[in-house]
């Protein structure tokens, strides 16, 4: 089996349909092992975009949090979440709650923020009975494979995320912004390029325009970097979309995406994006104790349907200001 050109002293397995994998003999102390191999592990993530470490034997949140800190320094707190998460420790979260029988399609974590996580850490404490892989896709290759005219439009216009906050679906104001205070929320929006509108019933709607294609801060290569398909109405299961449109109206969906000029994105475009992701997907079933490191700008990730109990913890680190601008003119509040 071929090995990476930068593998020494790590013997990394490379397979076309699976993420790069490093098999290790279970260490006595996974935290110390991670600290000792930090530079070699990070080099592999830079080279391949993602690295699965098997045999590390991670068993509890404290251990996972310590590994994250050793590998990437201070963890990054989540903000502007689209769904509430269970906190498992400082900068460490349970996976986003999502129906087990529904996939979470490919996306880059928090790509609608001005500062995004550069590194994602996923640790599997309990593997599911079947399915449930955290699959990955190379954002450079996805960009090259997209229809040229579609990629060009998104690169020129960016993409628009619209959100409508309510107390029933998705993250609440306090969960997303860390506060329910209206003045503090307005300050955050102004500082982060988010246009906001308070409705008569006291609910909040926001719009933020972001780049769809960015240059990687280390390699300088262009990457398809966004959540256009993931947060679009046409990615929802048909019955879920129908319910939400009936309940909140087409302009009041909890979240949706549009072209940067505000134009609606059709179901055919979303299908094209998700199909292209699938053609470039690499997946490996989880095993207990696995660690997956993902370059969040170079590599998109997803979560596949599963059966049985599944416990995967997520950590974010190394906030990055992505290049190429953010398409965020000064926000206005009304």
């Amino acid at each position: 089996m071929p090995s990476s050109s930068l593998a020494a002293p790590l013997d990394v397995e490379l397979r076309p349909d699976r993420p790069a994998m490093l098999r290790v003999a279970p260490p006595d102390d996974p935290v110390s092992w991670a600290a000792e191999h930090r530079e070699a592990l990070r080099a592999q993530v830079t080279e391949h975009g993602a690295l699965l470490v098997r045999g590390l034997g991670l068993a509890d949140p404290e251990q996972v949090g310590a590994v994250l800190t050793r590998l990437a320094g201070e963890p990054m707190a989540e903000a502007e979440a689209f769904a509430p998460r269970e906190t498992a420790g400082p900068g460490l979260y349970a996976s986003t709650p999502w129906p087990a029988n529904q996939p979470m399609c490919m996306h880059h974590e928090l790509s609608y923020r001005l500062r995004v996580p550069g590194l994602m850490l996923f640790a599997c404490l309990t593997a599911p009975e079947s399915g449930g892989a955290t699959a990955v896709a190379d954002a450079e290759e996805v960009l090259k494979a997209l229809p040229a005219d579609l990629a060009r439009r998104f690169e020129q216009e960016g993409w628009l995320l619209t959100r409508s906050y309510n107390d029933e679906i998705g993250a609440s104001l306090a969960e997303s912004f860390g506060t329910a205070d209206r003045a503090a929320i307005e300050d955050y929006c102004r500082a982060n390029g988010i246009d906001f509108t308070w409705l008569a019933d006291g609910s909040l709607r926001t719009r933020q325009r972001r780049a769809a294609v960015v240059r990687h801060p280390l390699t300088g290569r262009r990457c398809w970097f966004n959540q256009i398909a993931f947060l679009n109405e046409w990615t929802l299961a048909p019955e879920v979309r129908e319910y939400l449109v009936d309940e909140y109206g087409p302009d009041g969906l909890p979240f949706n995406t549009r072209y940067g000029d505000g134009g609606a994105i059709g179901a055919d475009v979303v299908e094209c994006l998700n199909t292209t992701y699938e053609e470039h997907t690499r997946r490996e079933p989880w095993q207990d104790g696995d660690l997956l490191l993902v370059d969040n700008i170079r590599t998109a990730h997803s979560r596949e349907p599963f059966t049985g109990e599944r416990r995967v913890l997520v950590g974010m680190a190394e906030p990055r200001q992505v290049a190429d601008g953010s398409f965020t003119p000064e926000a206005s509040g009304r």
Side-chain angles (χ1 to χ4, degrees):
M1 188 170 295
S3 297
S4 163
S5 60
L6 299 180
L10 303 180
D11 187 15
V12 173
E13 301 173 10
L14 301 180
R15 299 158 295 177
D17 59 342
R18 301 187 180 189
M21 180 188 291
L22 172 66
R23 299 178 189 269
V24 301
D28 293 333
D29 181 2
V31 178
S32 297
W33 183 93
E36 178 184 353
H37 294 87
R38 178 188 184 279
E39 295 304 321
L41 292 170
R42 296 304 306 272
Q44 295 294 338
V45 176
T46 298
E47 182 176 4
H48 303 298
L51 176 69
L52 178 66
V53 183
R54 175 154 291 168
L56 201 53
L58 297 173
D60 58 68
E62 292 75 17
Q63 203 174 54
V64 174
V67 167
L68 174 62
T69 301
R70 297 301 192 282
L71 291 177
E74 190 72 19
M76 180 178 176
E78 186 174 45
E80 299 181 46
F82 77 91
R85 287 188 199 253
E86 172 193 346
T87 301
L92 199 64
Y93 304 90
S95 298
T96 301
W98 200 265
N101 65 343
Q102 296 292 323
M104 296 178 68
C105 76
M106 284 289 175
H107 62 285
H108 298 262
E109 200 72 18
L110 299 178
S111 59
Y112 46 81
R113 292 191 59 190
L114 292 186
R115 290 177 64 79
V116 305
L119 181 73
M120 301 290 297
L121 174 149
F122 300 87
C124 180
L125 303 187
T126 304
E129 292 177 6
S130 66
T134 299
V136 294
D138 189 309
E140 294 178 28
E141 297 304 317
V142 169
L143 176 60
K144 293 175 185 175
L146 287 173
D149 56 344
L150 180 65
R152 186 180 307 112
R153 178 172 181 180
F154 276 117
E155 186 162 17
Q156 292 173 348
E157 296 181 8
W159 64 291
L160 189 69
L161 171 64
T162 63
R163 299 186 65 173
S164 296
Y165 292 85
N166 60 62
D167 295 329
E168 299 172 350
I169 304 290
S172 67
L173 287 174
E175 289 165 335
S176 188
F177 293 101
T179 178
D181 179 76
R182 180 178 290 208
I185 291 171
E186 292 178 359
D187 288 344
Y188 180 93
C189 289
R190 292 190 184 98
N192 288 275
I194 301 173
D195 186 58
F196 60 90
T197 302
W198 296 101
L199 303 184
D201 62 1
S203 62
L204 176 68
R205 288 187 181 177
T206 62
R207 293 161 58 96
Q208 54 210 89
R209 192 180 178 198
R210 298 293 185 254
V213 178
V214 304
R215 291 195 178 275
H216 193 282
L218 298 181
T219 68
R221 293 195 287 266
R222 294 161 65 247
C223 298
W224 177 254
F225 178 75
N226 55 72
Q227 283 166 256
I228 293 167
F230 179 58
L231 294 176
N232 189 272
E233 61 180 302
W234 295 111
T235 292
L236 296 169
E239 64 276 12
V240 174
R241 178 185 176 275
E242 182 178 356
Y243 166 78
L244 291 175
V245 171
D246 288 345
E247 187 74 14
Y248 301 107
D251 295 326
L253 296 176
F255 46 83
N256 201 4
T257 61
R258 292 178 171 271
Y259 289 107
D261 66 359
I265 297 174
D268 58 329
V269 171
V270 174
E271 181 180 6
C272 173
L273 297 178
N274 285 327
T275 298
T276 304
Y277 276 130
E278 178 57 32
E279 291 169 350
H280 292 80
T281 291
R282 292 169 286 150
R283 54 174 60 84
E284 171 69 25
W286 281 116
Q287 293 185 13
D288 292 353
D290 280 353
L291 171 70
L292 176 65
L293 302 173
V294 175
D295 180 330
N296 186 45
I297 299 174
R298 161 85 179 273
T299 305
H301 68 274
S302 65
R303 193 225 67 190
E304 301 187 340
F306 65 94
T307 62
E309 181 184 1
R310 178 186 187 272
R311 193 179 187 205
V312 174
L313 300 184
V314 181
M316 298 169 277
E318 299 185 351
R320 300 281 190 181
Q321 181 84 36
V322 292
D324 299 331
S326 56
F327 294 94
T328 51
E330 185 176 352
S332 62
R334 293 182 292 278

